[in-house]
Amino acid sequence: MSTPGPARGPAHAPAHDPAALLVVAEQAARAAGDLVRATTAGRVGVEATKTSPSDVVTATDRAAEALLREMLAAQRPDDGVLGEEAGWEPGRSGLTWVVDPIDGTVNYTYGIPAYTISVAVVTGRPDAPGEWQTLAGCVHDVPSSETWTAGLGVGARLDGRPLTTRPAPPLEGALVATGFGYRVERRRAQARVVAGLLPRVRDIRRVGSSSLDLCGVAGGRYDAYYERGLHVWDFAAAILVATESGVTVVGPGGGPPSGELLVAARRPLLDALAAELAAAGADRDD
Ligand code: IPD
């Protein structure tokens, strides 16, 4: 992966306006959603596998990403694009679109109604934790058409309704979403961590779409979410929906979230959960 070029000067400042970028993100996500809805979820052939036999790619993932790339290139020709299936094409503007054409591909192949199109635009280097910032993001839930949107400094919305802050329960009353990686060694470690956490919280949910997990915390459907092993395209859009609605999102040791660990909740629950996860070694595979 290479580094995008430097941001342009003030003459181009409006091109970095979060509200305007959000319009582009939402249009692209909804168009890819229409493409995916036109296929028959649950009767989908797997085209290839990635990190393990359970890490699958379908022709629809590839077609949806191609459509996203085509739309973004037409509207934002100077920006880079980083997508789950086709990698990073650097741009010249300092902005990169980070897209997941289907987040929740396994759900999609089984016809379980929990998978999204995730479209974010970020400044900085999306391959380096803590060195990028989402300016606008859209998570379009394909089966329900629910659409989560956020612009930096302009708030987060679900289907146009503003998401607001709300109190967090104590750890023992928290409904905690999580997810598991695809590799066997990582899953062993994740099973150990979740087994220790389950008796300490209200309950655990594993829905199978990290963008929905993070947006779910923003919307109050879960109290917290954590996962090890995420890729930037899994959370680049949803992290802004979360933070713009008052959720705090951290990584190992309270640093930036990354593939090592992402923990999301409102404070003070966030601190209690992050401490539990640190004590359990949730950022390790051993
Ligand atoms: C996956 C989902 C899942 C999470 C995995 C992700 P994908 O994304 O978000 O919930 O546990 O870590 O890889 O592969 O369906 O785009």
Side-chain angles (χ1 to χ4, degrees):
M1 287 187 184
S2 47
T3 310
R8 284 187 171 177
H12 296 274
H16 289 53
D17 172 43
L21 291 165
L22 181 53
V23 172
V24 177
E26 187 170 348
Q27 274 174 358
R30 286 182 182 277
D34 290 342
L35 181 152
V36 176
R37 261 189 300 278
T39 67
T40 311
R43 294 195 195 157
V44 185
V46 169
E47 275 223 329
T49 59
K50 296 187 279 188
T51 55
S52 88
S54 18
D55 188 3
V56 297
V57 185
T58 69
T60 316
D61 291 80
R62 290 180 171 158
E65 184 163 325
L67 176 65
L68 291 169
R69 284 176 184 269
E70 192 183 307
M71 289 186 73
L72 294 170
Q75 294 191 56
R76 305 281 313 179
D78 290 343
D79 300 346
V81 182
L82 169 60
E84 175 169 14
E85 310 306 339
W88 191 355
E89 277 176 49
R92 293 176 296 277
S93 65
L95 299 189
T96 304
W97 293 85
V98 180
V99 303
D100 191 341
I102 303 181
D103 178 44
T105 303
V106 173
N107 286 343
Y108 170 65
T109 62
Y110 278 76
I112 298 168
Y115 47 94
T116 75
I117 316 291
S118 175
V119 178
V121 58
V122 311
T123 53
R125 294 188 43 181
D127 62 336
E131 292 186 27
W132 54 273
Q133 164 73 60
T134 304
L135 295 180
C138 177
V139 175
H140 180 61
D141 182 335
V142 177
S144 72
S145 284
E146 278 190 332
T147 302
W148 307 79
T149 53
L152 184 64
V154 297
R157 292 170 183 267
L158 169 56
D159 290 337
R161 294 185 304 279
L163 298 171
T164 50
T165 60
R166 59 183 75 215
L171 185 64
E172 60 271 21
L175 186 60
V176 180
T178 191
F180 307 117
Y182 293 113
R183 286 187 300 105
V184 168
E185 316 79 62
R186 175 153 295 168
R187 285 184 168 187
R188 274 202 192 97
Q190 289 174 318
R192 178 182 48 72
V193 171
V194 80
L197 191 62
L198 182 55
R200 316 283 312 266
V201 298
R202 177 183 205 130
D203 211 339
I204 295 284
R205 292 289 181 271
R206 198 296 193 243
V207 165
S209 167
S210 46
S211 56
L212 282 182
D213 292 329
L214 255 181
C215 289
V217 180
R221 294 175 183 176
Y222 314 113
D223 298 308
Y225 165 60
Y226 78 93
E227 185 162 347
R228 171 167 168 74
L230 293 176
H231 297 283
V232 64
W233 47 78
D234 293 318
F235 64 93
I239 193 173
L240 192 63
V241 176
T243 55
E244 285 288 323
S245 63
V247 174
T248 302
V249 186
V250 298
S258 67
E260 284 182 48
L261 187 65
L262 178 149
V263 188
R266 295 174 201 281
R267 289 204 143 102
L269 172 60
L270 184 275
D271 304 302
L273 178 60
E276 284 288 328
L277 293 170
D283 57 349
R284 300 195 314 262
D285 285 341
D286 51 18

